[in-house]
Amino acid sequence: MVGVCLRSVLYALFLCFPIAAFLTHEPPRSQDGRLLVECAAVAATFLLAGLGLLVPSGPEVWSSSPGAVGIALAVTLIGVALAVVSAHSLGANFSFGPQGRALVVRGPYRLVRHPIYLAELAMIVGVTVVDPRLVPILGALVVVVLQLVRIRAEERLLRSTFPGFSRYAAVTRFRLVPLVW
């Protein structure tokens, strides 16, 4: 129960970052205005919450053991904490769609190029293990694909906007998952 409360508090804190960023940031130096990319970014961010509110969850796909639920809760908490730290590192550079304001290379951005997306995926895995229903699982798979589209679009924009991005990408080799990709 304490873990669930902590997760909720950290998630609420994470949600404060986009609000603060939108109120304080300067216009972007560059922006990917393609409708497909914008839709992918919004859908990746809000799809699972929307499904949870609007669509029945469907049948349970598997039954999680208490041990697996405990591990999943820990993964979710780590994901939320990583999201908060990553959003803090971005500061006013936070945006939903691909925008170039500044090249952020501090904090978790030293380890992977897209730590907020890694955090979201960790949260999705944790929540899915705790409540493994068909519709959220299918939604999670769609979100993974949308995040891949988002990553490719963001990196293309950052590479064309910031001359130092190629050097950053060479030093911070992994886009999303350390030692994997």
Side-chain angles (χ1 to χ4, degrees):
M1 193 54 104
V2 171
V4 172
C5 290
L6 180 59
R7 180 182 70 189
S8 297
V9 167
L10 288 172
Y11 187 66
L13 179 61
F14 172 68
L15 291 178
C16 291
F17 283 100
I19 295 167
F22 288 126
L23 295 175
T24 61
H25 62 53
E26 300 291 324
R29 291 171 56 179
S30 62
Q31 182 169 329
D32 186 328
R34 293 178 293 169
L35 183 60
L36 175 66
V37 173
E38 293 294 327
C39 289
V42 171
T45 302
F46 298 109
L47 178 69
L48 291 177
L51 285 176
L53 293 172
L54 303 173
V55 179
S57 296
E60 189 173 78
V61 177
W62 67 79
S63 180
S64 297
S65 70
V69 168
I71 291 169
L73 180 59
V75 167
T76 304
L77 289 173
I78 290 167
V80 171
L82 178 59
V84 169
V85 170
S86 299
H88 182 267
S89 293
L90 279 177
N93 297 302
F94 186 94
S95 65
F96 285 108
Q99 296 180 346
R101 286 192 169 77
L103 182 60
V104 176
V105 298
R106 64 185 172 277
Y109 290 86
R110 291 184 319 235
L111 307 173
V112 294
R113 298 195 302 254
H114 302 278
I116 286 183
Y117 303 154
L118 173 60
E120 289 176 359
L121 295 177
M123 289 184 274
I124 288 169
V125 167
V127 170
T128 301
V129 169
V130 171
D131 187 23
R133 305 237 172 234
L134 181 61
V135 172
I137 290 170
L138 293 175
L141 294 173
V142 170
V143 167
V144 169
V145 171
L146 292 171
Q147 293 294 39
L148 295 176
V149 168
R150 199 174 186 184
I151 286 169
R152 295 218 186 265
E154 283 184 13
E155 291 202 351
R156 182 177 23 247
L157 179 76
L158 293 173
R159 188 168 271 111
S160 69
T161 304
F162 301 106
F165 183 80
S166 293
R167 185 177 50 246
Y168 166 66
V171 171
T172 307
R173 291 185 19 229
F174 302 105
R175 288 180 173 105
L176 189 63
V177 180
L179 306 175
V180 178
W181 185 73

